[in-house]
Amino acid sequence: MKKSIPFGILLIVIVLALLYPSVTLTTIKDSKIDTGDTAWLLVSTALVLIMTPGLAFFYGGMVSKKNVLSTMLQSFVCMGVITVIWVIFGFSLAFGEDEFGGFIGNPGTFFMMKGTLGNATWELAPTIPLILFAMFQLKFAVITPALITGAFAERIRFNSYVIFLCLFMVFIYAPLAHATWHPKGFLFGKGVLDFAGGTVVHMSAGWAALASAIYLKGRNETSHNPARISYVLLGTGLLWFGWFGFNAGSALGSGTLAATALATTTTASAAAAMAWMFFDILRGKKPGVLGACIGAVVGLVAITPAAGYVTIPHSLIIGIVAAVVSNLVVIWRTKTSIDDTLDVFPCHGVGGMVGMLLTGVFAHQNVNSANTTGNGLFYGETHLFIIHLITLVGVSAFAFFGSFILLKITDMISTLRVTPEEELAGLDISQHDEEL
């Protein structure tokens, strides 16, 4: 009976598609849709999508050989599961008409992509079609739960993981996206600046990763050699490439702001890669491929909330500081009993928090006029920094404790942890009957 449930859900999706074909054409007089902006967002959407396979290689190369395929599939499956949820009601939860005081959208607003056909636009992106904005934001929703998987790699049942990622999407990601990016969202109204997802994506994934590592406890075999460091290098390249769509695409147009975001993204990542590697040398280690790759990704994470709000020189600072802080947290984590397999919390969670705080330090209104909150602490103003500090605490608590509850609920529905025998055999064989 249980085996028929997933396919049964897809049959329900077919019925919904027949009942709600969403063929009504939306026609807006004096539409401002711009072909140049539309072209750039089409490209950006594709760039952000390639980040998820990139993440699959990035994570897959770091685990043991017997768990490479299972780890990669945990990222890849998000492209399927989250897309279906997003089309049905996920986009509405994140960007639909405001409900409950700026914390969640009405699931019926864009149900089955209702109202997205024609020249309809999103209110904060009037120069691109609404359906394109929906698909661009979908790619953010796809990669966020995929980021979490590195924390519980090598010990989670695949079926249970799919249940958890659905719950995470509905109860953690969508409320944070709505609160932060919807014009009537609670955090948006307070003046929180998150250009491309430091709060919504990286902090939520990072704290969920920590909750997962604590809840699932340690692996029986914690020491292993990375299966394919070349995979990690390939994954880093794909992530860096795709991140230009992630950050520069979040300008929602092809103008100067997109160019600024692209430049800050490049420089922060480069500086972080060097900082991680040089800090390792300072600690007496040899410079390594893994260190350079992890550092580059930490820089990308940290600049994400700040990309369209800070100058290029300050992006260098953000990259360097984030790399050193994350490196130190990795060192701390290894001295605890927390088995965050691929250090998702130290890299994505901490990197996102550092980026959020430094946005409050270095943001300037000359970079982005949409910043109406004020300049950062570096320029003698305190308002933005204090808002970001308070938000950091609130979002951290929500993401951590909310994820912990969802893990418990998932475990009650379907056991999360594989058996010791399945873990010893490797998840590629025990969960998928495949091997590298």
Side-chain angles (χ1 to χ4, degrees):
M1 179 62 182
K2 288 184 178 180
K3 293 182 179 180
S4 64
I5 293 176
F7 194 77
I9 292 173
L10 290 181
L11 294 179
I12 294 173
V13 171
I14 290 177
V15 173
L16 288 174
L18 292 172
L19 294 175
Y20 300 93
S22 299
V23 294
T24 302
L25 187 68
T26 301
T27 304
I28 299 176
K29 291 185 63 177
D30 302 320
S31 172
K32 297 180 180 179
I33 290 179
D34 179 84
T35 54
D37 290 346
T38 300
W40 169 235
L41 263 294
L42 286 167
V43 172
S44 295
T45 301
L47 286 171
V48 182
L49 179 63
I50 206 170
M51 291 171 65
T52 300
L55 183 70
F57 276 104
F58 184 74
Y59 281 172
M62 285 192 271
V63 296
S64 61
K65 187 176 180 180
K66 62 185 179 182
N67 294 308
V68 172
L69 297 179
S70 63
T71 300
M72 296 181 78
L73 182 59
Q74 286 169 8
S75 290
F76 200 84
V77 75
C78 292
M79 293 195 291
V81 174
I82 299 301
T83 298
V84 174
I85 294 174
W86 192 257
V87 166
I88 299 173
F89 64 89
F91 179 57
S92 295
L93 288 178
F95 294 97
E97 295 174 2
D98 182 60
E99 300 285 343
F100 305 112
F103 290 101
I104 197 69
N106 185 334
T109 303
F110 302 112
F111 183 74
M112 299 297 290
M113 292 288 103
K114 176 180 65 178
T116 61
L117 196 64
N119 65 352
T121 60
W122 172 246
E123 125 179 47
L124 298 182
T127 61
I128 63 172
L130 176 60
I131 186 60
L132 177 55
F133 175 76
M135 292 299 103
F136 178 66
Q137 288 296 335
L138 162 63
K139 307 310 184 259
F140 287 69
V142 164
I143 198 170
T144 304
L147 292 171
I148 306 170
T149 62
F152 48 58
E154 304 188 314
R155 61 192 187 278
I156 192 169
R157 293 180 67 241
F158 181 76
N159 294 347
S160 303
Y161 159 68
V162 172
I163 295 172
F164 173 72
L165 76 88
C166 293
L167 294 175
F168 178 87
M169 163 66 210
V170 173
F171 294 104
I172 303 294
Y173 181 85
L176 282 177
H178 184 84
T180 306
W181 288 331
H182 193 282
K184 293 184 179 179
F186 178 79
L187 296 179
F188 187 97
K190 297 298 181 182
V192 173
L193 303 180
D194 185 2
F195 192 74
T199 302
V200 179
V201 177
H202 298 292
M203 280 180 59
S204 68
W207 282 107
L210 182 61
S212 301
I214 294 172
Y215 186 87
L216 284 166
K217 299 181 175 58
R219 292 162 290 164
N220 293 308
E221 293 180 319
T222 56
S223 61
H224 68 266
N225 294 319
R228 295 281 191 277
I229 293 180
S230 55
Y231 280 11
V232 181
L233 193 61
L234 172 62
T236 303
L238 290 172
L239 284 168
W240 199 334
F241 177 67
W243 224 290
F244 293 129
F246 202 74
N247 286 357
S250 292
L252 301 177
S254 59
T256 57
L257 183 59
T260 299
L262 185 146
T264 56
T265 300
T266 300
T267 52
S269 185
M274 295 301 96
W276 191 289
M277 190 161 55
F278 294 164
F279 189 69
D280 278 350
I281 294 173
L282 182 65
R283 294 173 49 227
K285 297 178 64 177
K286 292 181 179 180
V289 174
L290 278 179
C293 290
I294 292 170
V297 171
V298 168
L300 292 166
V301 169
I303 197 60
T304 292
Y309 297 115
V310 303
T311 63
I312 295 171
H314 286 156
S315 70
L316 293 168
I317 298 174
I318 291 172
I320 294 168
V321 171
V324 173
V325 172
S326 290
N327 199 318
L328 290 171
V329 177
V330 169
I331 296 170
W332 166 82
R333 201 278 308 164
T334 59
K335 297 176 181 178
T336 71
S337 60
I338 300 171
D339 187 11
D340 183 342
T341 311
L342 304 180
D343 286 312
V344 178
F345 175 72
C347 295
H348 288 277
V350 173
M353 286 187 281
V354 169
M356 183 187 184
L357 287 179
L358 293 184
T359 302
V361 173
F362 294 120
H364 198 283
Q365 291 172 314
N366 284 353
V367 177
N368 188 343
S369 60
N371 170 15
T372 58
T373 310
N375 298 322
L377 196 62
F378 179 78
Y379 303 101
E381 299 180 27
T382 60
H383 181 61
L384 176 62
F385 181 79
I386 291 173
I387 288 175
H388 275 213
L389 186 61
I390 295 171
T391 300
L392 183 148
V393 174
V395 169
S396 297
F398 171 72
F400 178 79
F401 291 108
S403 297
F404 204 90
I405 292 170
L406 295 182
L407 288 162
K408 182 63 177 177
I409 292 172
T410 303
D411 208 8
M412 294 169 63
I413 298 171
S414 176
T415 304
L416 277 169
R417 184 73 188 254
V418 297
T419 65
E421 293 76 20
E422 289 173 327
E423 184 180 337
L424 181 63
L427 270 60
D428 291 0
I429 290 292
S430 67
Q431 299 298 297
H432 309 293
D433 202 19
E434 296 174 321
E435 58 185 327
L436 193 66

